[in-house]
Amino acid sequence: MRKIQRQTLLGIRDQMGSYAWEDAEIDELVDPKLGIITGFQDLLDQLEQLRRIDLESIPPAGDISTR
């Protein structure tokens, strides 16, 4: 996955005008400075890691003993 670019988010904002994102909000998503715990890029990277997990390699939750 490529790192999210400011221009990408601006294009999404302009093409999908359901919410009027301010430029400062876009900037914060791309390069967080306000002390959020997880940046948007970190979240996207974590989702990509989860997407790559082969679910067939994980046993069903019903196989977990609760005792």
Side-chain angles (χ1 to χ4, degrees), residues 19-30:
Y19 180 79
W21 291 86
E22 299 291 330
D23 285 354
E25 293 172 308
I26 299 286
D27 292 339
E28 186 65 19
L29 285 173
V30 174

Side-chain angles (χ1 to χ4, degrees), residues 41-54:
Q41 185 64 52
D42 293 336
L43 176 62
L44 292 176
D45 293 341
Q46 290 172 14
L47 289 171
E48 178 66 12
Q49 286 178 344
L50 288 174
R51 186 187 71 78
R52 291 175 182 238
I53 293 174
D54 177 12

